[in-house]
């Protein structure tokens, strides 16, 4: 067992310890070590996929920006340099958005707890919905006394992501409901758009996953908003899911309900 353990490296976590028969301490130790190695291998595999996807997402706007600048330098008589300069901020803004979202995800996964405080969730939703710019109207229905403990900044980020996503896909209306249900604070954000296919209800929460309609409506997005929102929900011991709706998409945030002050 010691020789096999010494052969296991971070580059190859596929090896496993031989498991002796029986249920004595050595056999239990071998099974526990093998289970730990399996979890580490899965975590490393996810990390490699994430690194590969992140590299691709960062490379795309960088390549576009480089092409614009190279064309302006190589063909000064055919390409308007001012047009290239005007187009450059869009690519840099996309890079900035991706980097900022990656930093936020890193903080969420660092294990460091965020500042927690009692929050009137209904009041928070009302405050964040009121200053919305003209566009698809947002109708809210808030029941009083829906309190949670959490990070105000992080919960605002979730609400902003859900509201922006709903308004992007809605035809004429977005509805937000805040209510207590079975010991939980529930926030549902619904739109009257085309909705999300059942097969894509979990996919939309994957990092850098952007459905075709989302890419068309918001080509500058990072593809991390919903993934970050779910991570924040989990950090608050809650959940974020797409649930059934008569029309359009319905995102439902559930958090542990706290007693109001």
């Amino acid at each position: 067992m010691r020789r096999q353990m010494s052969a296991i490296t971070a580059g190859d976590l596929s090896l496993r310890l031989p498991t002796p028969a029986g249920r004595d301490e050595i056999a239990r130790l071998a099974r526990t070590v093998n289970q730990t190695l399996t979890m580490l291998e899965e975590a490393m595999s996810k990390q490699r996929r994430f690194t590969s996807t992140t590299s691709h997402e960062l490379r795309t706007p960088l390549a576009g920006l480089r092409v614009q600048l190279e064309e302006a330098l190589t063909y000064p008589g055919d390409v308007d340099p001012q047009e290239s300069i005007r187009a450059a901020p869009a690519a840099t803004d996309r890079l900035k958005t991706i980097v900022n979202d990656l930093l936020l995800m890193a903080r969420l996964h660092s294990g460091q707890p965020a500042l927690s405080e009692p929050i009137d969730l209904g009041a928070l939703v009302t405050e964040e919905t009121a200053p919305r710019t003209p566009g698809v109207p947002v109708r809210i229905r808030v029941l009083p006394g829906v309190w949670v403990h959490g990070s105000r900044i992080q919960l605002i980020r979730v609400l902003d992501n859900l509201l922006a996503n709903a308004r992007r896909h809605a035809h004429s209306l977005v509805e937000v409901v805040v209510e207590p249900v079975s010991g939980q604070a529930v926030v549902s954000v619904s739109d009257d758009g085309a909705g999300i296919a059942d097969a894509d209800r979990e996919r939309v929460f994957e990092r850098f996953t952007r459905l075709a309609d989302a890419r068309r409506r918001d080509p500058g997005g990072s593809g991390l908003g919903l993934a970050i929102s779910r991570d924040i929900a989990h950090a608050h011991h809650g959940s974020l899911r797409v649930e059934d709706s008569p029309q359009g998409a319905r995102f439902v945030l559930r958090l542990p309900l706290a007693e109001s002050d």
Side-chain angles (χ1 to χ4, degrees), residues 59-216:
R59 194 160 49 235
T60 300
L62 279 173
L65 180 60
R66 183 181 179 86
V67 167
Q68 291 173 356
L69 296 175
E70 285 182 343
E71 286 181 344
L73 291 172
T74 307
Y75 309 105
D78 300 323
V79 178
D80 182 3
Q82 291 299 321
E83 185 64 29
S84 298
I85 294 173
R86 284 192 292 269
T92 56
D93 285 346
R94 175 163 166 74
L95 283 169
K96 180 181 178 182
T97 299
I98 293 174
V99 171
N100 287 340
D101 283 349
L102 288 172
L103 289 173
L104 176 56
M105 295 190 79
R107 287 196 294 270
L108 289 172
H109 288 272
S110 67
Q112 183 177 358
L115 178 64
S116 182
E117 59 180 304
I119 299 170
D120 183 341
L121 201 54
L124 185 65
V125 168
T126 303
E127 291 168 5
E128 289 303 304
T129 305
R132 292 280 146 183
T133 57
V136 176
V138 179
R139 182 173 64 199
I140 62 173
R141 181 167 64 87
V142 174
L143 271 67
V146 182
W147 286 76
V148 298
H149 284 286
S151 164
R152 177 176 292 273
I153 295 299
Q154 290 184 6
L155 292 179
I156 288 174
R157 178 64 184 271
V158 175
L159 293 172
D160 285 348
N161 284 340
L162 295 181
L163 284 169
N165 183 73
R167 296 187 84 196
R168 190 180 305 125
H169 295 279
H171 292 320
S172 60
L173 180 68
V174 171
E175 184 175 28
V176 183
V177 178
V178 182
E179 58 186 344
V181 179
S182 302
Q184 292 183 312
V186 179
V187 180
S188 64
V189 181
S190 308
D191 64 70
D192 60 353
I196 300 174
D198 290 349
D200 293 327
R201 286 188 175 187
E202 282 299 309
R203 278 192 60 221
V204 296
F205 293 105
E206 295 176 3
R207 298 164 181 171
F208 296 115
T209 294
R210 304 181 71 213
L211 304 182
D213 189 49
R215 288 184 180 274
R216 178 178 62 82

Side-chain angles (χ1 to χ4, degrees), residues 242-255:
V242 179
E243 299 190 359
D244 293 338
S245 176
Q247 181 183 4
R250 179 172 178 260
F251 286 82
V252 180
L253 171 69
R254 286 184 168 84
L255 300 173

